[in-house]
Amino acid sequence: MSDNTIISVKDLNLYYGTNHALKNVSMDIYENSITAFIGPSGCGKSTFLKTLNRMNDLVENVKITGSISFADEDIYAPSVDTTLLRERIGMVFQQPNPFPMSIYDNIAYGPRVHGIRDKRKLDQIVEESLRGAAIFDEVKDRLKKSALGLSGGQQQRICIARALAVRPTVLLMDEPTSALDPISTLKIEELMEELKKQYTIVVVTHNMQQALRVADYTAFFLVGEMVEYGETKVLFSYPQDKRTEDYITGRFG
């Protein structure tokens, strides 16, 4: 493991029943960087993302072999508390999904679950998380109003703030801008650049330009296989595998 590896995946296979959805995936994810997973729809990139914080545990008939270590611990070991794991490896989904409650309560939700009741402490966490998600100034006068009254782009930043509120180490983002307009997309991309100073970000995107703009490293997936992985600029400029080249030059996908 290199010094700045935060997650190390070895020979990971995932089966949905008899469907072999991920095949022998091995990769290291590096601290304080943005790693993008690209590839056509249904290639396994979101499935792989969800193995990194065991979200696939919630699906019937899933079998996983191989190992994923995070902070030098195998996350699939029987002793691992998945609630604590998902606190440290947070998740932001494709569709903004704020809870049907006030903006304040959305952000305070996680800390309250973890036993924080002190109002001053909660106020501080809410403000810091909203600032961290670059949305505090837009919502500071309406914290008691429903988060559902915000635009899609604002809702997605609220969801990022909600994930930040429990102080994760890693943030997984599953196509976080696919439901957003170009201006909101740009705001989220700028936010990701800012967040990587404090967090490690792994993002699934169907937008190759987005990977090129924000990611330090990119992995290309095709029918459950990780075809190629490396520094983004190198992968896009000098792909080693013909399938990667065909995908990024638009010959298929």
Side-chain angles (χ1 to χ4, degrees):
M1 255 192 179
S2 92
D3 290 342
N4 65 341
T5 298
I6 191 163
I7 294 177
S8 188
V9 182
K10 297 267 185 299
D11 302 322
L12 186 85
N13 287 274
L14 181 142
Y15 302 84
Y16 289 124
T18 55
N19 170 22
H20 193 177
L22 290 172
K23 300 163 188 161
N24 295 318
V25 179
S26 293
M27 74 186 299
D28 285 347
I29 291 167
Y30 305 105
E31 227 172 347
N32 297 114
S33 63
I34 298 175
T35 303
F37 299 162
I38 62 168
S41 291
C43 67
K45 53 192 191 292
S46 286
T47 299
F48 179 51
L49 187 76
K50 288 174 188 156
T51 64
L52 300 178
N53 71 348
R54 293 187 51 174
M55 288 296 265
N56 287 313
D57 287 19
L58 310 169
V59 183
E60 293 281 304
N61 287 331
V62 166
K63 182 176 144 228
I64 291 173
T65 63
S67 71
I68 298 178
S69 63
F70 164 62
D72 296 327
E73 180 181 29
D74 180 0
I75 68 168
Y76 282 90
S79 58
V80 167
D81 177 336
T82 51
T83 307
L84 290 178
L85 175 71
R86 291 181 195 132
E87 185 184 320
R88 296 187 66 196
I89 304 181
M91 184 99 172
V92 175
F93 297 91
Q94 184 171 356
Q95 291 292 340
N97 59 346
F99 301 139
M101 51 176 77
S102 74
I103 294 168
Y104 184 98
D105 289 338
N106 261 276
I107 313 305
Y109 183 85
R112 281 179 178 142
V113 166
H114 297 296
I116 296 173
R117 293 278 176 271
D118 179 55
K119 175 141 180 4
R120 272 207 318 245
K121 183 89 180 111
L122 286 172
D123 288 351
Q124 184 190 350
I125 292 171
V126 168
E127 179 170 342
E128 282 173 6
S129 305
L130 290 168
R131 283 192 190 282
I135 192 167
F136 181 71
D137 290 338
E138 291 168 52
V139 300
K140 62 178 188 247
D141 299 326
R142 50 197 287 198
L143 294 178
K144 295 287 180 246
K145 295 210 162 78
S146 170
L148 302 178
L150 299 171
S151 71
Q154 288 173 320
Q155 287 189 14
Q156 192 61 299
R157 280 180 288 147
I158 291 293
C159 293
I160 293 169
R162 188 175 67 197
L164 298 181
V166 293
R167 310 267 158 88
T169 307
V170 179
L171 202 51
L172 308 178
M173 304 178 116
D174 192 2
E175 299 202 16
T177 62
S178 66
L180 305 180
D181 61 85
I183 290 169
S184 299
T185 295
L186 187 63
K187 280 190 174 158
I188 301 274
E189 288 180 5
E190 287 169 352
L191 174 57
M192 287 160 72
E193 288 283 347
E194 197 54 38
L195 289 172
K196 79 170 181 185
K197 294 171 186 166
Q198 285 180 273
Y199 306 92
T200 300
I201 295 174
V202 186
V203 59
V204 167
T205 178
H206 62 258
N207 179 336
M208 281 187 283
Q209 293 309 314
Q210 182 169 74
L212 202 45
R213 283 192 299 266
V214 303
D216 302 290
Y217 301 93
T218 295
F220 169 56
F221 285 81
L222 197 59
V223 285
E225 185 188 337
M226 189 176 77
V227 174
E228 193 166 336
Y229 175 51
E231 289 184 28
T232 301
K233 289 183 175 57
V234 177
L235 183 124
F236 277 91
S237 307
Y238 310 104
Q240 301 299 299
D241 190 294
K242 178 86 173 70
R243 293 167 296 174
T244 313
E245 187 183 349
D246 286 349
Y247 183 71
I248 62 182
T249 55
R251 280 198 267 275
F252 77 87

